[in-house]
Amino acid sequence: ICPAGTILLGEFAIWCGKVNVHKSVTMGAWQIDSSCSNGCNNKNLAYCQKLFPGAQSIKSIAVTNLLKPFTTAGCKKVAMHKGSAQFACCGPKK
Protein backbone atom coordinates (compact mmCIF):
# COMPACT_ATOMS: atom_id res chain seq x y z
CA ILE A 1 0.00 0.00 0.00
CA CYS A 2 2.70 2.50 0.99
CA PRO A 3 5.56 3.87 -1.13
CA ALA A 4 8.95 2.12 -1.03
CA GLY A 5 10.86 2.84 2.17
CA THR A 6 7.71 3.52 4.21
CA ILE A 7 5.26 1.44 6.22
CA LEU A 8 1.55 1.66 6.93
CA LEU A 9 0.91 3.49 10.23
CA GLY A 10 -2.87 3.43 10.02
CA GLU A 11 -5.95 4.15 7.97
CA PHE A 12 -8.93 6.45 8.12
CA ALA A 13 -12.29 6.41 6.41
CA ILE A 14 -14.74 9.17 5.58
CA TRP A 15 -18.47 9.40 4.91
CA CYS A 16 -19.73 12.92 4.24
CA GLY A 17 -22.11 14.14 6.92
CA LYS A 18 -20.46 11.92 9.54
CA VAL A 19 -17.38 12.08 11.79
CA ASN A 20 -14.29 10.33 10.37
CA VAL A 21 -13.10 7.01 11.78
CA HIS A 22 -9.56 5.61 11.97
CA LYS A 23 -7.53 2.59 13.03
CA SER A 24 -3.84 2.02 13.58
CA VAL A 25 -1.99 -1.09 12.48
CA THR A 26 -1.48 -1.99 16.15
CA MET A 27 -5.14 -1.50 17.16
CA GLY A 28 -7.51 -3.36 14.87
CA ALA A 29 -10.75 -1.69 15.91
CA TRP A 30 -12.08 1.38 14.10
CA GLN A 31 -12.30 4.42 16.38
CA ILE A 32 -14.27 7.63 16.03
CA ASP A 33 -12.24 10.84 15.67
CA SER A 34 -11.93 12.23 19.20
CA SER A 35 -12.86 15.75 18.05
CA CYS A 36 -16.35 14.44 17.24
CA SER A 37 -16.39 16.96 14.39
CA ASN A 38 -13.67 16.14 11.79
CA GLY A 39 -15.49 15.00 8.69
CA CYS A 40 -15.01 14.30 5.01
CA ASN A 41 -13.29 17.63 4.33
CA ASN A 42 -10.38 16.38 6.47
CA LYS A 43 -8.54 14.03 4.11
CA ASN A 44 -5.01 15.37 3.68
CA LEU A 45 -1.50 14.71 5.02
CA ALA A 46 -2.04 17.06 7.98
CA TYR A 47 -5.01 14.93 9.05
CA CYS A 48 -2.89 11.75 8.76
CA GLN A 49 -0.25 13.43 10.94
CA LYS A 50 -2.89 14.35 13.54
CA LEU A 51 -3.95 10.72 13.78
CA PHE A 52 -0.56 9.11 13.23
CA PRO A 53 2.39 11.35 14.16
CA GLY A 54 5.27 10.65 11.83
CA ALA A 55 3.09 10.15 8.77
CA GLN A 56 4.87 11.35 5.65
CA SER A 57 2.37 10.49 2.93
CA ILE A 58 -1.28 9.70 2.33
CA LYS A 59 -2.75 7.38 -0.26
CA SER A 60 -6.32 6.75 -1.33
CA ILE A 61 -7.10 3.03 -1.03
CA ALA A 62 -10.10 0.82 -1.73
CA VAL A 63 -12.91 1.05 0.82
CA THR A 64 -13.17 -2.18 2.78
CA ASN A 65 -16.58 -3.78 3.16
CA LEU A 66 -16.20 -3.80 6.95
CA LEU A 67 -18.84 -1.69 8.67
CA LYS A 68 -17.34 1.18 10.65
CA PRO A 69 -18.85 3.23 13.54
CA PHE A 70 -19.51 6.60 11.90
CA THR A 71 -21.35 9.15 14.04
CA THR A 72 -23.12 12.43 13.62
CA ALA A 73 -21.36 15.61 14.80
CA GLY A 74 -20.83 15.58 18.54
CA CYS A 75 -20.51 11.78 18.43
CA LYS A 76 -24.20 11.51 19.16
CA LYS A 77 -25.70 8.78 16.96
CA VAL A 78 -23.72 5.84 15.56
CA ALA A 79 -24.45 4.65 12.04
CA MET A 80 -22.58 1.55 10.90
CA HIS A 81 -21.41 2.00 7.31
CA LYS A 82 -18.39 1.05 5.19
CA GLY A 83 -17.74 4.70 4.32
CA SER A 84 -17.36 6.48 0.99
CA ALA A 85 -13.54 6.73 0.83
CA GLN A 86 -10.59 5.29 2.72
CA PHE A 87 -6.98 6.43 3.07
CA ALA A 88 -3.66 4.95 4.17
CA CYS A 89 -1.22 7.01 6.26
CA CYS A 90 2.38 6.02 5.64
CA GLY A 91 5.54 6.79 7.59
CA PRO A 92 9.21 5.83 7.76
CA LYS A 93 10.33 2.31 8.57
CA LYS A 94 11.68 2.17 12.10
Side-chain angles (χ1 to χ4, degrees):
I1 291 175
C2 294
T6 65
I7 59 169
L8 178 65
L9 300 177
E11 301 175 26
F12 71 93
I14 63 173
W15 181 24
C16 288
K18 305 291 184 225
V19 175
N20 292 349
V21 295
H22 63 279
K23 70 172 189 158
S24 71
V25 293
T26 57
M27 296 177 68
W30 286 94
Q31 300 175 351
I32 301 160
D33 188 293
S34 61
S35 73
C36 292
S37 65
N38 284 315
C40 68
N41 291 332
N42 298 94
K43 56 184 178 194
N44 55 28
L45 180 57
Y47 188 67
C48 266
Q49 292 168 333
K50 173 193 177 244
L51 298 170
F52 309 104
Q56 295 177 331
S57 63
I58 181 173
K59 182 178 179 185
S60 179
I61 59 175
V63 175
T64 60
N65 286 325
L66 181 69
L67 297 178
K68 303 163 186 80
F70 289 94
T71 67
T72 55
C75 295
K76 302 215 185 240
K77 183 178 178 187
V78 174
M80 299 302 289
H81 193 274
K82 65 181 189 174
S84 59
Q86 196 162 319
F87 301 89
C89 299
C90 304
K93 289 183 178 179
K94 298 199 176 191

